[in-house]
Amino acid sequence: MIQQKINERQQLFNDVIDNKIPERVPVMGNIMYEAAIEYAGFDLKQGQWDSEIAYKVFKKINEDFQTDAPCTSPTMRNPLFYQILGAKSYVMSETGVMQHPEITAMEPDEYDDFIKDPFKFMCDILLPRLYTELDTSPMQAAMVLAKAFKAKTDEDNIARKASREAAEPYEYAVIGGAGFGEAPFDFLSDLLRSFTGISKDIRRYPDKVKQACDAAVPLIEKTLIPPKPMKYRYASVPLHMAPYLGDKSVNEFFWPSFEKLISRCVSAGQTLHLFMEQDWMRFLDKLNELPGRMYMRFEYGDPQLTKKKINKHIITGFYPTVLLQTETKQKCIDKAKELLDILAPDGGYIFNVDKNIMSLKGSVAENYRAVLEYVSLHGNY
């Protein structure tokens, strides 16, 4: 009976991928592990260091929020891993949330070294700059790296086991977890040159930026395409720099290497989940022209225009998480109904919020439960 329910839920997502109209609108949920820790009654700072609480955390979320796929997942930013490495790129804030500060690891005059051999340059130069405990002798650095990955693997295994066991009674579909990567231009911006640095570079060293984006494609491709590519499980690609660039800069610097990366993943048979951070409405035509059939999760913009323009791919997102904190339960439900009316007709839609939920405090949890229950009951075709 349990396996039958799992199969039914899995079929909802499979049908959407296959461009068929499913029995009803599939429901996804995205609650950050940090929010789940606090919701389950644990201290956020302490909870991120204690993997033994993971089962209780996942169980509490699964009990209270009705979705077709797991609503939360193990953290990607384990603080133990980053502490062992002496990370500058990811640090814990005073509130206990892991933050990614604006940092620069590569200097403008090092573009040629990166372009020549990106992997070697990253190992020899960039990693010791980003992770201070690797800035030592090769033998000691190897020991630190081994220790960090052993700790991460142990913690991840505990969390994944807890997640699986806590999910068993709830008959979830499995749809993600195939890989994670970035658009090449975003990769350069995030960890190598920073947002500020790349904004200067596209004016001062335009050819170097283009070459570096192309050079990064094979590296990122490896993080997105598993040994056995999966049509029904997606690899995640958050996208963020394009909305902050003019159209000319997007066409010149962002899109060529991004499109190349997407094409390689699609050719390999791997489904992708693109998260369009900020407003991507001016790029809808270009997004629809991308090959394959992908999840496209939108943060801001016009759902009606998106439904009109995006017909090759899957639309998700758009539900404003801010409403869960600021509006009544009925207004939150009314927004879900509005999105169903716009996006569900003719299929190609999966319900989800516009961004991951970072806190369930106040009215958020109660309103979110009501919204998920409404969509599960009324998302019929």
Side-chain angles (χ1 to χ4, degrees):
M1 187 66 182
I2 290 179
Q3 189 59 49
Q4 179 183 346
K5 184 64 175 179
I6 292 172
N7 292 342
E8 289 173 359
R9 282 180 157 163
Q10 192 72 55
Q11 193 61 48
L12 296 174
F13 292 98
N14 292 359
D15 283 346
V16 177
I17 288 290
D18 289 334
N19 203 13
K20 300 176 182 177
I21 296 179
E23 184 179 341
R24 62 172 173 82
V25 173
V27 180
M28 291 177 67
N30 282 98
I31 297 173
M32 295 292 289
Y33 188 65
E34 292 87 343
I37 288 173
E38 290 190 312
Y39 183 73
F42 297 99
D43 177 77
L44 178 55
K45 282 189 175 180
Q46 182 180 352
Q48 290 184 82
W49 294 93
D50 185 4
S51 57
E52 297 301 323
I53 70 169
Y55 177 80
K56 294 179 180 178
V57 171
F58 291 123
K59 185 174 185 291
K60 179 62 175 171
I61 294 295
N62 294 341
E63 285 175 347
D64 289 3
F65 299 93
Q66 182 178 342
T67 54
D68 293 312
C71 207
T72 192
S73 57
T75 181
M76 291 180 60
R77 307 298 181 201
N78 187 286
L80 177 59
F81 173 70
Y82 290 108
Q83 184 187 65
I84 292 171
L85 292 174
K88 295 179 180 178
S89 52
Y90 294 98
V91 296
M92 184 176 285
S93 69
E94 292 183 1
T95 62
V97 176
M98 294 297 289
Q99 300 277 16
H100 172 43
E102 170 91 341
I103 57 172
T104 302
M106 185 176 83
E107 298 302 320
D109 60 1
E110 294 176 319
Y111 267 107
D112 285 339
D113 294 330
F114 177 83
I115 293 164
K116 181 180 179 181
D117 192 335
F119 185 73
K120 184 177 189 303
F121 184 72
M122 289 173 64
C123 292
D124 294 348
I125 306 298
L126 298 184
L127 287 179
R129 291 177 183 172
L130 290 168
Y131 305 101
T132 58
E133 293 300 317
L134 299 180
D135 189 13
T136 181
S137 67
M139 184 175 293
Q140 182 63 26
M143 291 292 291
V144 171
L145 196 61
K147 180 180 178 182
F149 272 93
K150 175 65 166 62
K152 184 179 189 302
T153 300
D154 289 347
E155 294 293 299
D156 286 351
N157 286 341
I158 293 172
R160 290 190 185 111
K161 182 174 184 290
S163 178
R164 287 194 303 271
E165 292 178 353
E168 283 177 3
Y170 300 94
E171 303 152 338
Y172 290 127
V174 179
I175 57 175
F180 185 90
E182 291 186 292
F185 188 86
D186 287 341
F187 174 70
L188 289 179
S189 306
D190 278 351
L191 291 172
L192 275 65
R193 290 293 297 130
S194 77
F195 282 20
T196 303
I198 202 74
S199 298
K200 297 175 182 177
D201 293 351
I202 60 175
R203 293 167 176 80
R204 297 175 179 176
Y205 322 104
D207 291 339
K208 301 296 184 187
V209 173
K210 295 174 193 175
Q211 292 173 46
C213 286
D214 284 338
V217 169
L219 289 177
I220 302 170
E221 179 185 354
K222 293 180 184 298
T223 71
L224 289 172
I225 304 176
K228 293 183 179 180
M230 293 178 275
K231 179 180 180 180
Y232 297 117
R233 293 185 62 178
Y234 62 72
S236 298
V237 186
L239 304 170
H240 42 254
M241 279 299 288
Y244 300 99
L245 301 172
D247 290 351
K248 183 176 182 296
S249 293
V250 169
N251 292 334
E252 191 174 352
F253 299 103
F254 185 94
W255 210 265
S257 56
F258 169 61
E259 189 172 34
K260 184 184 298 183
L261 176 68
I262 298 299
S263 296
R264 291 189 180 187
C265 293
V266 170
S267 294
Q270 180 56 52
T271 295
L272 299 177
H273 182 294
L274 308 184
F275 176 27
M276 268 62 72
E277 299 176 16
Q278 260 296 330
D279 188 339
W280 283 68
M281 293 302 99
R282 60 191 166 110
F283 307 121
L284 290 178
D285 289 331
K286 294 176 74 65
L287 287 170
N288 195 54
E289 291 169 3
L290 289 172
R293 183 166 174 83
M294 293 174 280
Y295 291 75
M296 291 189 174
R297 183 183 178 192
F298 292 88
E299 185 174 14
Y300 303 127
D302 183 340
Q304 206 150 25
L305 179 63
T306 304
K307 183 67 174 180
K308 180 181 177 181
K309 296 271 192 177
I310 300 293
N311 50 54
K312 284 178 55 181
H313 303 289
I314 300 160
I315 300 171
T316 184
F318 276 128
Y319 187 92
T321 54
V322 66
L323 294 186
L324 303 173
Q325 186 175 16
T326 61
E327 294 292 354
T328 64
K329 184 187 297 185
Q330 187 57 52
K331 287 190 176 180
C332 291
I333 291 173
D334 289 345
K335 185 64 178 180
K337 182 181 184 303
E338 176 191 325
L339 289 174
L340 284 173
D341 289 344
I342 295 170
L343 296 171
D346 301 320
Y349 173 57
I350 295 172
F351 180 84
N352 202 354
V353 287
D354 64 346
K355 61 177 71 66
N356 293 355
I357 296 175
M358 289 293 296
S359 174
L360 290 163
K361 294 178 180 178
S363 62
V364 176
E366 183 180 355
N367 286 341
Y368 193 36
R369 280 197 298 271
V371 166
L372 293 174
E373 289 168 7
Y374 176 85
V375 177
S376 294
L377 290 172
H378 297 90
N380 299 315
Y381 290 97

